[in-house]
Amino acid sequence: MNAASLTGMTALSIGKDIKLTSAEELEATLRHIGATRYHSLHPFHRLLHGGKLNKGQVQAWALNRYYYQSTIPIKDAVVISRFRDRATRLEWRHRIEDHDGDVGSEGGIERWLKLTEGLGLDTAYVESTEGILPATRFAVEAYVHYCREKSPLEAIASSLTELFAPNLHEERISGMLEHYDFVNPDIMSYFKRRLAQAPRDAGFALDYVKAHATTPEQRAQVCNALIFKTNVLWVQLDALQHAYVEGNIPPGAFVPKAT
Amino acid sequence: MNAASLTGMTALSIGKDIKLTSAEELEATLRHIGATRYHSLHPFHRLLHGGKLNKGQVQAWALNRYYYQSTIPIKDAVVISRFRDRATRLEWRHRIEDHDGDVGSEGGIERWLKLTEGLGLDTAYVESTEGILPATRFAVEAYVHYCREKSPLEAIASSLTELFAPNLHEERISGMLEHYDFVNPDIMSYFKRRLAQAPRDAGFALDYVKAHATTPEQRAQVCNALIFKTNVLWVQLDALQHAYVEGNIPPGAFVPKAT
């Protein structure tokens, strides 16, 4: 298996002719998918991190991404619900805590609301999700349904985009702080925290799929789960670009105030 | 209730302040939603019907829309599964037959494949759905999940876009036959057949929601189900426009051959 043999990769799958015969080939293929499909490559991120967006466009990004963030603990509860094995449930449970926090301690969702508030959005409006793009909703809900309906192995594999998140978050923190006068370190605390959380989570998930995908068919399922998840992320940025960069805001969605 | 009072309509709902107190107000609101949200208003349809697309762009439309068409009988089977009432199941069942046909008689899916074949697409590739836009898949699957998870009333209400389909299909048939030399009456048979089927189906669904939504809360649910469905359709055209008109084809999706 090398990158050249993955030319049959479609929007949906790595292609029927790929036969991964070892955990090492699986990992190499997963890293290739990340290198070619992860949303760090999306033009909207280049605009966001390069200081090319106005405040309203950054607001639209944060508003829509809130729906993704606030759905993650629901998705993780679904993943937990797929495992009769107590050890896997225990391992996965801290992900819910990372996002939901606890009584008296904030979690990722509250940190995200610091970002939207810092950008000038009304928190009640953000939490209502009434103004997000329909494409955001469909993509995010597809992720929850995927974890409910596919195999437990695929549910875990769909989290593997976290392997590629830390580089993106580093770039985002430095790029946004450098380029936008309406961004400060405090409102970027979500990303700083994820720099520590994501590698631990991704490490577990990678070890899990390498150990539990024991046939070429299962290794292909794992790869296709990662492709699915890169699509979930990519679709969200396509929708933001179409609506807020190219100017095609769909009916009823958030309209930035003229500045 | 009049159109002016619907200014609180969001991307997701008719807004919290609307109180529909009769079946007539419900129908007027549904028709207002159709008049302001149905995808007949989408710029991509104006390009399609006005002869402004090239063959590759029309192929992309037909390829992606195949996924919607071929999912409709699955959606309708889900709707049927929500009703313990035999009469409603009987009434709804012909929708599956309309799309799936029968042994020896063609249905809507086969007619759609005549369209994609007539446009020069390989049928096995179309049926594989490997090249459709991820946004198409997420939107269409959202429709199936909606009918499974919401109330039976909302499942029926989400079909109400059919109220507005015949005008769109008339415009499509005449516009596409006039403007494209690669389109002929035979490959447009799907739409001609729907001119008879859709009004009958929409009439039943409209009567049903008018009779069974008996509180302002239920009437709001019916309206929101129609808004949801207009979003399912709108998102598909946004994605086509972004990918194939504005030139941002996502990884692995169908790439038209240069002509």
Side-chain angles (χ1 to χ4, degrees):
Chain A
M1 205 296 298
N2 56 48
S5 64
L6 282 168
T7 51
M9 188 154 59
T10 71
L12 182 65
S13 73
I14 57 164
K16 290 189 191 73
D17 300 332
I18 303 296
K19 190 179 169 83
L20 303 174
T21 56
S22 70
E24 290 64 40
E25 285 192 356
L26 171 59
E27 179 171 348
T29 306
L30 293 170
R31 294 195 182 279
H32 176 74
I33 292 167
T36 55
R37 298 287 189 102
Y38 190 53
H39 66 167
S40 55
L41 300 164
H42 196 284
F44 189 88
H45 271 157
R46 272 186 235 124
L47 299 174
L48 176 67
H49 303 160
K52 305 298 186 192
L53 300 180
N54 60 38
K55 189 172 178 179
Q57 293 168 323
V58 177
Q59 286 176 329
W61 166 74
L63 172 73
N64 276 273
R65 177 89 186 181
Y66 171 80
Y67 190 68
Y68 177 77
Q69 297 300 145
S70 61
T71 301
I72 291 301
I74 297 169
K75 183 275 296 183
D76 283 322
V78 169
V79 174
I80 291 174
S81 79
R82 304 297 308 276
F83 285 89
R84 196 141 289 283
D85 167 47
R86 174 173 168 270
T88 308
R89 290 202 307 271
L90 278 183
E91 160 58 37
W92 211 264
R93 195 173 68 204
H94 74 263
R95 291 171 178 247
I96 300 182
E97 295 159 8
D98 287 347
H99 284 87
D100 278 345
D102 212 331
V103 179
S105 74
E106 74 177 6
I109 295 175
E110 279 162 293
R111 281 183 212 108
W112 198 272
L113 288 171
K114 275 192 184 170
L115 172 66
T116 55
E117 193 188 347
L119 291 170
L121 291 166
D122 177 63
T123 295
Y125 177 71
V126 175
E127 289 182 320
S128 80
T129 79
E130 292 269 344
I132 66 168
L133 298 167
T136 303
R137 195 177 304 278
F138 296 155
V140 170
E141 295 189 347
Y143 190 19
V144 180
H145 289 123
Y146 189 93
C147 292
R148 187 174 289 138
E149 296 176 357
K150 292 285 187 169
S151 67
L153 175 67
E154 288 162 296
I156 285 196
S158 64
S159 75
L160 284 169
T161 45
E162 284 176 337
L163 280 172
F164 318 111
N167 287 348
L168 179 65
H169 287 173
E170 292 272 22
E171 181 188 319
R172 178 170 300 152
I173 293 169
S174 63
M176 289 183 69
L177 286 174
E178 180 185 340
H179 292 296
Y180 299 114
D181 58 13
F182 49 85
V183 168
N184 61 56
D186 193 43
I187 71 173
M188 296 296 278
S189 65
Y190 173 83
F191 303 104
K192 265 172 290 179
R193 187 59 171 265
R194 289 301 295 165
L195 289 179
Q197 292 171 341
R200 177 197 54 184
D201 291 352
F204 171 81
L206 181 60
D207 290 346
Y208 185 94
V209 300
K210 286 171 73 175
H212 290 81
T214 54
T215 66
E217 291 72 23
Q218 288 177 330
R219 292 186 194 103
Q221 287 173 358
V222 167
C223 292
N224 294 344
L226 178 57
I227 290 173
F228 162 81
K229 175 65 174 306
T230 60
N231 289 341
V232 168
L233 299 173
W234 195 274
V235 161
Q236 292 177 65
L237 295 185
D238 265 1
L240 283 166
Q241 189 183 341
H242 185 66
Y244 295 104
V245 179
E246 287 150 7
N248 305 288
I249 301 175
F254 170 69
V255 178
K257 289 198 184 75
T259 47
Chain B
M1 203 298 299
N2 55 48
S5 65
L6 282 169
T7 51
M9 189 155 58
T10 71
L12 183 64
S13 73
I14 59 164
K16 291 191 190 70
D17 300 332
I18 303 296
K19 192 180 170 81
L20 303 174
T21 56
S22 70
E24 290 65 38
E25 284 192 357
L26 171 60
E27 179 170 348
T29 305
L30 292 171
R31 293 194 182 280
H32 175 76
I33 292 167
T36 55
R37 298 287 188 103
Y38 189 54
H39 66 166
S40 56
L41 300 164
H42 196 284
F44 189 88
H45 271 156
R46 271 186 235 124
L47 299 174
L48 177 66
H49 304 159
K52 306 297 185 194
L53 300 180
N54 60 38
K55 189 172 178 179
Q57 292 168 322
V58 177
Q59 286 176 328
W61 165 74
L63 173 75
N64 277 272
R65 176 91 188 181
Y66 172 80
Y67 190 68
Y68 177 78
Q69 297 301 144
S70 60
T71 301
I72 291 301
I74 297 169
K75 184 276 294 184
D76 283 323
V78 169
V79 174
I80 291 175
S81 78
R82 304 298 308 277
F83 286 89
R84 197 141 287 285
D85 167 47
R86 174 172 168 271
T88 308
R89 290 201 306 271
L90 277 184
E91 162 56 38
W92 211 263
R93 195 174 66 203
H94 73 264
R95 292 172 179 246
I96 299 182
E97 295 159 7
D98 286 348
H99 285 87
D100 278 345
D102 212 330
V103 178
S105 73
E106 73 176 7
I109 294 175
E110 279 162 291
R111 280 183 213 107
W112 198 271
L113 288 172
K114 275 190 184 172
L115 172 64
T116 54
E117 192 188 345
L119 291 170
L121 291 167
D122 176 65
T123 296
Y125 178 71
V126 175
E127 290 182 320
S128 80
T129 80
E130 292 268 345
I132 67 168
L133 298 168
T136 303
R137 195 177 304 276
F138 296 155
V140 170
E141 295 188 347
Y143 190 19
V144 179
H145 288 123
Y146 188 94
C147 292
R148 188 174 289 140
E149 295 175 359
K150 294 283 186 168
S151 68
L153 175 67
E154 290 162 295
I156 284 195
S158 64
S159 75
L160 284 168
T161 45
E162 284 177 337
L163 280 172
F164 319 111
N167 286 348
L168 179 64
H169 287 174
E170 292 271 22
E171 183 189 319
R172 179 170 301 152
I173 293 168
S174 63
M176 289 183 68
L177 286 174
E178 181 186 342
H179 292 296
Y180 299 114
D181 59 11
F182 49 84
V183 169
N184 62 58
D186 193 43
I187 72 172
M188 296 295 279
S189 65
Y190 173 84
F191 303 104
K192 265 172 290 179
R193 187 59 170 266
R194 289 303 295 166
L195 289 177
Q197 292 171 340
R200 177 197 54 184
D201 291 351
F204 171 81
L206 181 60
D207 290 345
Y208 185 94
V209 300
K210 287 171 73 174
H212 289 82
T214 54
T215 66
E217 291 73 21
Q218 288 178 330
R219 291 187 194 102
Q221 286 173 357
V222 167
C223 292
N224 294 343
L226 178 57
I227 291 173
F228 162 80
K229 175 64 175 303
T230 61
N231 289 340
V232 168
L233 298 173
W234 196 273
V235 161
Q236 292 177 65
L237 296 185
D238 265 0
L240 283 166
Q241 189 182 339
H242 185 67
Y244 295 104
V245 179
E246 288 150 6
N248 306 288
I249 301 175
F254 170 68
V255 178
K257 289 199 183 72
T259 49

